[in-house]
Amino acid sequence: MTDAKPPLTVLLAGPRGFCAGVDRAIKIVEELLRRHGPPVYVRHEIVHNRFVVESLAAKGAVFVEELDEIPEEDVRAGAPVVFSAHGVPKSVPEAARARGMVQVDATCPLVTKVHREAEKHFAKRRHLFLIGHAGHPEVVGTMGQLPPGAVTLVEDVADARRVAPPPEAEALAYITQTTLSVDDTAEIIAVLRERFPDIEGPRREDICYATTNRQAAVKAVAPRADLVLVIGAPNSSNSQRLVEVALKTGAPAARLIQRAADLAAVPLDGVATLGLTAGASAPEVLVEEVIAALRERFAVSLEEVVVAEEDVTFRLPAALAV
Ligand code: 10G
Ligand code: SF4
């Protein structure tokens, strides 16, 4: 007689996985590969997911961190370079132009919107606080829209309490990274508003619809789950935030896995209900892979917990849309 598999309820959070900005960025690289053939250079991981990066690399995309890694002969041959969905400082397109590169910007339109906000505040002589995480490429890109010293980074509530605008600042404004924790950011903004009542800013924050919805969905599953698994990469800000949100909203345990193979290192004994979600850069095929691996060990009953429907899409850049 074979042992029956133990039961496992999987609460599948919705929305999860790819957002419109990620979908667009990947399509840009694919479309360039189709039109130009390899190599298509991509500055930085197009999105923070190894599976996506390796799939595009297998088709001829070449990932670099900086433009100076791109050989001159390929530039002269017209190989395009794509800027990742996270956005780039102004110095990057300037350097590409100076080298005569064919450049294609895959920055998410919702990140570009924050760049334009930054410029608008600067034009009105406001010193800017950028709420975000130091060193993240989106933060580097957003800070790099303005001259050095125009933006002060605020990473957490402690920063918000002690941050001091430069003495010459005439007015203040804030903007945010798009993938932050909605709740932590609200606390940071509350501190800034209390200290600087005249500070300008968006009505709430610049956190995007996809980040907001994925956090709302994980909040709906976390209190019912013994463990929440988030499919995503360690360098994926929005995926890391989903782990934190799950822990803060009632999951006794939560962790990031990149794909099914990582389940081997996850203690599942005693887990009767498992919450499952995926960051905005994690493809659905990896969710399916994890569910298939769970089915090998458990009698899985799947329950979708959907808190919002999404119908956002972004058009490709005009040159690729035809
Ligand atoms: O969550 P981050 O910003 O680290 O990026 P990602 O590639 O994991 O997910 C898509 C989000 C962006 C491109 C940033 S707007
Ligand atoms: Fe755009 Fe939001 Fe996706 Fe970032 S997470 S690429 S801002 S839709």
Side-chain angles (χ1 to χ4, degrees), residues 236-258:
S236 169
S237 165
N238 79 88
S239 306
Q240 292 284 13
R241 300 296 83 77
L242 291 175
V243 174
E244 292 168 6
V245 169
L247 289 171
K248 275 195 183 166
T249 56
R255 58 199 285 176
L256 203 62
I257 56 169
Q258 302 214 52

Side-chain angles (χ1 to χ4, degrees), residues 19 21-22 25 44-49 84-87 106-108 110-111 136-138 177-180 208 211 232-241 279-282:
C19 60
V22 163
H44 191 68
E45 292 186 339
I46 187 73
V47 298
H48 291 148
N49 187 273
S84 82
H86 316 91
T107 302
C108 176
L110 298 180
V111 174
H136 187 281
E138 182 184 340
Q177 195 177 340
T178 57
T179 56
L180 300 178
C208 76
T211 300
N235 61 341
S236 169
S237 165
N238 79 88
S239 306
Q240 292 284 13
R241 300 296 83 77
S281 44

Side-chain angles (χ1 to χ4, degrees), residues 15 17-23 85-86 107-114 117 131 136 138 175-183 185 189 202 204-217 236-239 241-242 279-281 308 310 312 314:
F18 275 12
C19 60
V22 163
D23 189 58
H86 316 91
T107 302
C108 176
L110 298 180
V111 174
T112 303
K113 180 169 158 258
V114 181
E117 270 177 67
I131 304 169
H136 187 281
E138 182 184 340
I175 52 175
T176 79
Q177 195 177 340
T178 57
T179 56
L180 300 178
S181 150
V182 172
D183 296 338
T185 306
I189 291 170
R204 289 178 61 198
E205 10 69 2
D206 300 304
I207 296 171
C208 76
Y209 81 94
T211 300
T212 305
N213 288 345
R214 279 149 193 69
Q215 288 177 18
S236 169
S237 165
N238 79 88
S239 306
R241 300 296 83 77
L242 291 175
S281 44
E310 292 179 344
V312 181
F314 295 130

